[in-house]
Amino acid sequence: MTSPACGLDFGTSNSTVGWSRPGQPALLALEDGKPTLPSAIFFHDEDDGVSFGRAALADYLEGYDGRLMRAMKSLLGSSLMDGHTEVQGRALPFRVLLTRFIAELKRRAEAAAGMPFTRVVLGRPVFFVDDNPAADQLAQDTLGEIARSVGFADIEFQFEPLAAAFDYESQIDREELVLVIDIGGGTSDFSLIRLGPRRAGKADRREDILAHGGVHIGGSDFDMQLSLARVMPLLGLGTQLRSGKDMPSTPYRNLACWHTINNIYARKSVDQLATLRLQSTEREKVDLLMEVIKQRAGHWLAYQVEEAKIAMSEASETKIDLSRIAPGRHVDVTRPAFDDAVGGLVGRIETTVSALLRDAGVPLDAVDTVFFTGGSSRVPRLRESVSALVPQARSVEGDLFGSIGAGLALDASRKFG
């Protein structure tokens, strides 16, 4: 019998829903036959319409008037969760924003499956919030409340790196000690776990888990650091005012981060920047910043930076397009420049993984496999850094955007039957 339970991976950048069925792909098609739905909503100003996923990104990039919202998962556990933003001329609570997206995920999954889902295993990072257990628990509770409000009656949670491990386990024929490296859009999560065919059927896997940990660093942070290093200086970051003071960095940091981009369009922010422009010693750079605001091109610019980050997973150099705000302009990005921009983040991830391996209390040469999943796990410097910690282990790349959802589906089948 097929299982009426699903696994739902609500991701910072992409989301999936898995349903475990014998002989069938685990992931359900959510948009245009694809199993991933980009975690994005676009609210149209003209007709009050709403689009999701790739359609939302396309509508924004094509220049329709409205509001694009991305990286919504980052709101969980933050002080913004109980706040609101202005959409289509009305105040929209952030909780309602997340509810609308997760309800759409459920609706599309049920349409693809041809049946309703009332039981779910939700993926969660090892830490929604670093070093704050109360905020971390609140984030999980909030996600659970939202899932219940859209029609899930029975809800369980599973750590995302463990879900990815379960997906990998379904593909191996011998026992392995596996270090799972899951670099998602908003968090990096790690697990050291014993996997194998004889362990796969166990309902309780606690004794197989040697250690797990995480840090609140993800793909959006790599985007932000690349933007701050290579793009924002062209818009005035790091320049000075005539008073000798530095240009304030807050507008640039807001512009470089997906879920704070809209802050720069607020009237108070625009007025302050107009005053600072008059005081700037490099007004032509600040003029480019004002052009971004005039065109409400912040998300477009962030998308160009994200595309450059993705390109740097394989290329030795690439360009960041600035043509929308400065015709004919672009920014060159070389591998050394990219490595320098993200080096601090990679260092924090390496420190966290080193501590996990140390706490596990096993010899480093006992680790058989490093399993990479999550889109930003392809960052070359990150892979090199993590692989160097266990040089004898083989490196395996999973489905970068689907391993968690597939593993959650397997877990849902085990937990709910």
Side-chain angles (χ1 to χ4, degrees):
M1 293 180 60
T2 56
S3 170
C6 68
L8 190 152
D9 175 26
F10 170 44
T12 302
S13 300
N14 293 278
S15 296
T16 61
V17 180
W19 181 29
S20 185
R21 299 158 292 166
Q24 298 291 322
L27 298 180
L28 294 164
L30 300 177
E31 185 180 24
D32 299 331
K34 298 179 175 63
T36 56
L37 181 69
S39 301
I41 303 180
F42 185 72
F43 296 89
H44 292 254
D45 284 344
E46 292 184 2
D47 57 7
D48 288 347
V50 180
S51 51
F52 298 84
R54 292 171 186 81
L57 295 172
D59 286 348
Y60 174 79
L61 293 173
E62 287 173 14
Y64 289 101
D65 291 333
R67 281 285 301 274
L68 177 71
M69 305 296 292
R70 284 194 73 184
M72 295 171 285
K73 185 178 179 180
S74 300
L75 296 166
L76 290 168
S78 78
S79 59
L80 292 173
M81 193 64 233
D82 292 321
H84 66 273
T85 187
E86 184 177 327
V87 171
Q88 296 170 336
R90 299 180 292 273
L92 177 70
F94 285 120
R95 185 179 292 258
V96 173
L97 176 69
L98 267 66
T99 300
R100 290 192 70 166
F101 184 79
I102 292 174
E104 181 68 13
L105 263 181
K106 183 175 186 289
R107 186 193 70 78
R108 293 184 183 216
E110 290 175 338
M115 63 178 296
F117 291 115
T118 59
R119 300 190 286 182
V120 65
V121 175
L122 294 169
R124 58 149 294 166
V126 174
F127 299 114
F128 280 105
V129 183
D130 292 341
D131 303 319
N132 191 334
D136 185 78
Q137 184 62 50
L138 178 61
Q140 177 175 299
D141 292 344
T142 301
L143 182 57
E145 290 165 4
I146 289 171
R148 192 164 287 107
S149 74
V150 303
F152 288 114
D154 299 307
I155 298 169
E156 297 281 349
F157 289 89
Q158 183 56 269
F159 290 132
E160 289 160 358
L162 294 185
F166 297 152
D167 179 48
Y168 175 64
E169 185 175 53
S170 70
Q171 305 166 39
I172 60 177
D173 57 9
R174 63 183 179 88
E175 184 166 308
E176 298 181 17
L177 180 59
V178 179
L179 173 63
V180 180
I181 305 294
D182 170 26
I183 314 295
T187 60
S188 294
D189 299 295
F190 322 106
S191 288
L192 187 63
I193 182 171
R194 297 192 187 281
L195 302 175
R198 288 187 294 180
R199 297 176 182 270
K202 295 164 54 179
D204 187 346
R205 301 298 299 273
R206 283 176 291 184
E207 68 177 23
D208 295 335
I209 303 167
L210 278 66
H212 59 76
V215 64
H216 206 269
I217 294 172
S220 59
D221 297 290
F222 287 101
D223 297 343
M224 182 177 185
Q225 292 305 314
L226 178 58
S227 183
L228 290 172
R230 301 297 299 163
V231 177
M232 295 303 149
L234 299 181
L235 277 58
L237 178 63
T239 62
Q240 288 191 318
L241 305 175
R242 289 199 300 269
S243 64
K245 294 182 178 180
D246 290 338
M247 185 75 175
S249 64
T250 298
Y252 299 100
R253 298 189 71 84
N254 282 339
L255 189 58
C257 181
W258 278 102
H259 69 277
T260 57
I261 287 171
N262 288 305
N263 293 348
I264 202 169
Y265 304 139
R267 173 52 56 190
K268 182 178 179 180
S269 175
V270 174
D271 290 345
Q272 289 175 339
L273 286 170
T275 300
L276 290 167
R277 172 186 172 274
L278 296 176
Q279 302 171 16
S280 173
T281 60
E282 297 183 60
R283 190 177 297 179
E284 71 282 357
K285 293 184 177 180
V286 183
D287 284 343
L288 283 181
L289 174 63
M290 301 307 290
E291 186 66 21
V292 172
I293 295 171
K294 177 184 176 181
Q295 295 194 33
R296 298 182 74 88
H299 288 92
W300 175 86
L301 186 59
Y303 183 77
Q304 307 311 311
V305 174
E306 182 183 32
E307 288 293 291
K309 177 200 67 179
I310 293 170
M312 292 305 297
S313 295
E314 297 181 353
S316 60
E317 60 182 39
T318 191
K319 299 179 186 298
I320 299 175
D321 181 21
L322 300 180
S323 60
R324 180 169 166 180
I325 60 171
R329 292 281 297 276
H330 65 266
V331 182
D332 291 320
V333 181
T334 62
R335 175 58 54 73
F338 180 68
D339 287 350
D340 186 59
V342 303
L345 300 177
V346 172
R348 288 174 59 194
I349 290 171
E350 180 181 352
T351 297
T352 304
V353 175
S354 295
L356 178 146
L357 292 169
R358 183 173 62 251
D359 293 344
V362 298
L364 294 181
D365 59 8
V367 179
D368 299 299
T369 303
V370 182
F371 181 70
F372 291 98
T373 189
S376 290
S377 71
R378 297 194 71 193
V379 170
R381 181 167 177 176
L382 185 147
R383 285 214 176 182
E384 293 163 5
S385 178
V386 171
S387 296
L389 297 174
V390 282
Q392 77 296 331
R394 68 186 186 119
S395 293
V396 174
E397 181 179 291
D399 182 337
L400 297 182
F401 303 104
S403 287
I404 293 172
L408 290 172
L410 289 169
D411 202 38
S413 181
R414 283 196 289 261
K415 286 180 173 174
F416 292 114

